Amino acid sequence: MALIVQKFGGTSVGTVERIRNVARRVAKWKAAGHDVVVVPSAMAGETNRLIALAKEIQPNPDPRELDVVASTGEQVSIGLLSMALMELGVRAKSYTGWQVKFLTDSAYTRARIVSIDEERIRADLKQGCVVVVAGFQGVDQAGNITTLGRGGSDTSAVALAAALKADECQIYTDVDGVYTTDPRIVPGARRLRTITFEEMLEMASVGSKVLQIRSVEFAGKYRVPTRVLSSLTDPLLPVETEARSGTLITFEEDPHMAMEKAVISGVAAQRDEAKITVHSVPDKPGIAYAILGPIADAHIEVDVIVQNVSHDGMTDLSFTVARADLAKALKLLREQVQPHIQCRDVTGEERIAKISIVGMGMRSHAGIAAKMFRTLAEEGINIEMISTSEIKITVVVDEKYTELAVRVLHKAFELEQE
Ligand code: ASP
Ligand code: MG
């Protein structure tokens, strides 16, 4: 018998019929002798609808009140799912985030979990109940309702699994696992049976939207065995089959990780980026700070940064930001930074994409970067920027090459073969 936390995304609970299917699936695990805690999201589209309502009243909604509104979607799901379980003869009980409680900081709309009081859940499990807990929401020290940021119920589920020391956190979603790349770009993309948490973190940071990045951080920090699997299969699929489906996030110290692993696990593309170049700045101490300090102060996240070799004491500095932040960053640089650093110009480039290859095997294999660059060169794709981590190489290219770059890299690293 195991203790399992199961998270179901918005699509999986999108209609009454789907909620019934979730209940059938949960009841099946319970009947197999497991203790089950379920964390559903709001019904598909519901959180968007609630936020839109708030914006109709207040174009820039008050963050505290926005969380009061946005958190209600999950409350509906937990009640409905508990009822659906009862209809199947399963004892079930629902709790909101503040009833549990999920204590968070006070950063409305993007709060972080501080602690979880899991006593009540344990007591209910002992009584034979399935416990249904609202994802995405918590409460701060002062008793204010908070939410964890879009996609936050992944994090609720993994954090709860950590607090309960669950045997597995199962994230049911509308894809059946983590793929070597986006199957819409490469039809031969393959589902990975396992991925290390480090790889998953890198994939999430470069545009893979399977899990909220914070949930991956939690899984890593507390070593929560987390599995991404499909909620679209037959809900009565045998438990043994379902238990082995999807993609399991593993940790390097796991024994089966010692087996030969592919050098590269995945290729990811991210299009919602933009590049900023500050031209001809004096190459002297303090310049990078003078440029990037105000950007950080404005809470604009910077990703790839490149400073060119200087000529005659002058250099160019380029970096990427989220495309949505481009206008704000340009305005700030032109109005507040340019007058002080005497650069020649500040330009923005919207049509870029970031292409990354990720893999633990990179650490022990030389020549991976060279192979990536050769593959792109053979297609005439110009690399505008490069950045690396221990297990990731990212290049910035013209957006129009996104699909091509992903396809040729997927092929070059033989990701279609197991
Ligand atoms: N309902 C929230 C959202 O749509 C949280 C979640 O689905 O994970 O962002
Ligand atoms: Mg989600």
Side-chain angles (χ1 to χ4, degrees):
M1 194 191 86
L3 169 53
I4 297 162
V5 174
Q6 302 188 315
K7 184 257 169 178
F8 291 89
T11 319
S12 316
V13 294
T15 64
V16 165
E17 197 38 51
R18 288 186 179 172
I19 291 177
R20 287 204 183 101
N21 271 336
V22 168
R24 288 184 191 112
R25 199 178 289 280
V26 172
K28 171 185 76 181
W29 281 85
K30 178 78 184 134
H34 302 297
D35 279 340
V36 189
V37 177
V38 192
V39 180
S41 300
M43 294 170 78
E46 184 61 9
T47 309
N48 286 343
R49 189 185 72 88
L50 293 166
I51 294 172
L53 275 178
K55 286 189 174 162
E56 257 184 67
I57 306 261
Q58 262 191 330
N60 261 318
D62 176 82
R64 181 186 183 279
E65 303 313 323
L66 182 59
D67 276 358
V68 169
V69 174
S71 62
T72 59
E74 272 71 11
Q75 188 166 338
V76 173
S77 302
I78 56 170
L80 293 178
L81 181 55
S82 296
M83 293 177 204
L85 282 162
M86 289 173 189
E87 285 298 296
L88 297 176
V90 177
R91 293 181 63 193
K93 216 164 164 182
S94 70
Y95 293 104
T96 61
W98 40 97
Q99 286 176 308
V100 167
K101 69 185 188 181
F102 279 76
L103 182 68
T104 70
D105 62 19
S106 305
Y108 297 118
T109 74
R110 55 189 163 86
R112 281 179 182 269
I113 299 171
V114 176
S115 66
I116 298 174
D117 181 0
E118 84 294 352
E119 280 318 303
R120 212 163 169 177
I121 296 177
R122 279 196 200 284
D124 288 333
L125 289 173
K126 244 201 196 112
Q127 302 288 318
C129 279
V130 166
V131 185
V132 185
V133 177
F136 181 53
Q137 48 178 255
V139 62
D140 73 0
Q141 197 78 54
N144 300 300
I145 292 175
T146 56
T147 66
L148 308 179
R150 299 308 306 272
S153 50
D154 292 342
T155 302
S156 308
V158 177
L160 190 53
L164 289 164
K165 301 191 178 57
D167 295 286
E168 194 165 288
C169 182
Q170 302 175 332
I171 311 270
Y172 286 88
T173 178
D174 48 8
V175 294
D176 64 354
V178 180
Y179 276 71
T180 49
T181 195
D182 187 341
R184 284 168 305 185
I185 299 181
V186 183
R190 192 169 45 80
R191 176 171 58 82
L192 297 161
R193 276 182 295 123
T194 63
I195 185 168
T196 67
F197 128 78
E198 290 89 346
E199 290 169 329
M200 192 66 203
L201 202 57
E202 293 282 19
M203 295 286 274
S205 77
V206 291
S208 159
K209 292 199 178 64
V210 179
L211 290 180
Q212 198 201 33
I213 193 161
R214 275 194 199 168
S215 70
V216 184
E217 287 166 3
F218 250 102
K221 189 164 171 200
Y222 297 101
R223 293 290 188 256
V224 183
T226 302
R227 184 181 297 275
V228 177
L229 64 177
S230 173
S231 67
L232 305 176
T233 55
D234 175 2
L236 298 181
L237 189 72
V239 163
E240 308 76 51
T241 312
E242 195 162 296
R244 280 183 276 103
S245 67
T247 301
L248 179 66
I249 300 177
T250 59
F251 305 97
E252 260 197 289
E253 61 269 24
D254 292 353
H256 64 271
M257 283 303 301
M259 292 182 332
E260 189 62 32
K261 246 260 179 197
V263 180
I264 299 300
S265 293
V267 181
Q270 203 171 12
R271 282 178 235 242
D272 44 6
E273 299 268 313
K275 180 171 98 173
I276 293 177
T277 301
V278 181
H279 300 263
S280 285
V281 283
D283 189 5
K284 63 177 193 202
I287 284 297
Y289 177 63
I291 294 168
L292 296 171
I295 294 282
D297 292 343
H299 301 289
I300 297 171
E301 247 179 86
V302 168
D303 191 18
V304 184
I305 305 173
V306 172
Q307 185 186 320
N308 292 327
V309 177
S310 65
H311 289 286
D312 311 320
M314 303 300 258
T315 185
D316 295 346
L317 188 89
S318 297
F319 55 93
T320 61
V321 296
R323 205 170 282 178
D325 287 334
L326 177 65
K328 185 174 160 195
L330 284 176
K331 184 166 169 356
L332 186 150
L333 288 170
R334 285 175 182 149
E335 287 173 8
Q336 289 172 41
V337 176
Q338 192 163 8
H340 303 294
I341 60 168
Q342 294 135 0
C343 60
R344 180 162 49 76
D345 200 4
V346 180
T347 56
E349 167 65 72
E350 266 197 309
R351 308 199 56 78
I352 60 153
K354 256 175 28 181
I355 312 290
S356 307
I357 58 174
V358 174
M360 298 297 275
M362 233 181 252
R363 288 193 304 208
S364 48
H365 286 74
I368 302 301
K371 182 168 176 176
M372 181 185 196
F373 303 157
R374 188 182 67 227
T375 304
L376 296 173
E378 280 166 3
E379 298 296 330
I381 301 173
N382 186 39
I383 299 171
E384 298 180 25
M385 301 166 96
I386 300 167
S387 97
T388 63
S389 81
E390 226 191 321
I391 62 163
K392 177 182 74 182
I393 304 169
T394 297
V395 296
V396 171
V397 301
D398 189 320
E399 190 187 27
K400 70 179 183 223
Y401 295 126
T402 308
E403 280 88 1
L404 178 63
V406 169
R407 249 185 274 124
V408 295
L409 290 170
H410 196 268
K411 184 145 194 283
F413 287 99
E414 297 174 354
L415 287 172
E416 285 178 24
Q417 281 120 45
E418 185 121 19

